[in-house]
Amino acid sequence: MNEEMTLEALAERMSGDSSAPYYIAGVLREAIYRGILPEGKPLHQAQLALRLGVSPIPLREALRLLETEGLVTFQGYRGAVVTALSVEEARELYEMVSALETNLLKIAFPRITRRIVDDAAKILDLMDGEQDCIRWRDLNQMFHNLLFESADRPLTLDMLARLRQKTDRNIRIHLASMREESQRQHRAVLAAVVAGNLPGALEALADHLAYTSNDLQSCMRLEQGKKRR
């Protein structure tokens, strides 16, 4: 399937109001995550509007939304361009993610109920069998957020979601190399929560995020090496 067909198929599969900027942004965001719209690629707005069957005005608003997420930038005569994520930026983003997540878990820990634990375990079971990288990413985010929601820190959760949008854009690059170990680490975090072991849960979560960060950086370096050949 060629890129154009893939983008069109993606738009057809996603439900929503095609005149709404948030819907269009969702289609383009997933296209970036899946590599359909590669880093550094100019986004010709007239062509995109035609391919997606949308009007130019909501398309431009959608691109502006993606600009606030760091996925798109406007570069003068080139117009909108898919931004690139450097290895150094990925490392720094995960440092911030780790700081926020461990703090959220510390606050939420006393209020994590058995129902939350059971729901988190069900999500991990679903992740075991999920082969699509974007759906796996969504389930992964659900698992993490379940442990944090009872912290009642909506602003922190919003910031965390924005940071993850930037790192998760490369989930397709390194999921295969890290998913098995990542799942083992998820279950280690959950086991510590069930045991009421806060220090153990915080250590397991920090180790998990450090592992994920290092794996992403390694895979990004390999990808960059292939492009230079």
Side-chain angles (χ1 to χ4, degrees), residues 21-127:
Y22 284 96
Y23 163 78
I24 301 170
V27 174
L28 296 177
R29 184 185 300 111
E30 183 161 334
I32 293 171
Y33 283 178
R34 292 186 181 278
I36 298 169
L37 299 174
E39 295 180 350
K41 179 182 177 66
L43 300 173
H44 301 294
Q45 295 180 46
Q47 293 179 14
L48 281 178
L50 182 63
R51 292 171 65 181
L52 296 176
V54 301
S55 300
I57 292 177
L59 174 65
R60 186 169 182 82
E61 292 178 13
L63 292 172
R64 289 297 184 187
L65 289 172
L66 296 180
E67 183 183 29
T68 66
E69 298 174 11
L71 298 177
V72 167
T73 186
F74 285 81
Q75 297 182 350
Y77 72 93
R78 295 187 71 196
V81 177
V82 179
T83 59
L85 181 70
S86 70
V87 173
E88 294 75 19
E89 288 169 335
R91 182 185 65 238
E92 185 174 355
L93 284 166
Y94 259 104
E95 288 172 353
M96 291 187 284
V97 167
S98 183
L100 291 179
E101 288 207 6
T102 51
N103 187 58
L104 283 167
L105 182 58
K106 184 177 181 179
I107 297 170
F109 200 84
R111 294 187 288 274
I112 296 178
T113 64
R114 168 51 68 176
R115 181 173 180 177
I116 290 174
V117 168
D118 290 344
D119 287 345
K122 291 175 183 177
I123 290 174
L124 291 182
D125 290 341
L126 290 173
M127 291 170 70

Side-chain angles (χ1 to χ4, degrees), residues 174-192:
H174 75 128
L175 177 58
S177 67
M178 64 90 170
R179 64 177 297 158
E180 184 175 343
E181 176 61 18
S182 181
Q183 283 292 83
R184 187 195 68 77
Q185 293 171 0
H186 284 147
R187 288 193 160 87
V189 173
L190 194 58

Side-chain angles (χ1 to χ4, degrees), residues 139-204:
L139 289 169
N140 179 64
Q141 191 168 38
M142 287 173 60
F143 169 79
H144 282 254
N145 285 350
L146 265 177
L147 300 180
F148 308 145
E149 283 179 353
S150 56
D152 192 24
R153 295 295 190 276
L155 295 178
T156 308
L157 285 170
D158 180 67
M159 176 60 70
L160 180 59
R162 291 175 181 273
L163 294 174
R164 282 198 166 277
Q165 281 178 331
K166 295 180 181 181
T167 60
D168 290 349
R169 63 186 297 168
N170 284 330
I171 186 67
R172 71 188 184 280
I173 293 176
H174 75 128
L175 177 58
S177 67
M178 64 90 170
R179 64 177 297 158
E180 184 175 343
E181 176 61 18
S182 181
Q183 283 292 83
R184 187 195 68 77
Q185 293 171 0
H186 284 147
R187 288 193 160 87
V189 173
L190 194 58
V193 171
V194 172
N197 181 0
L198 175 57
L202 293 174
E203 181 179 2

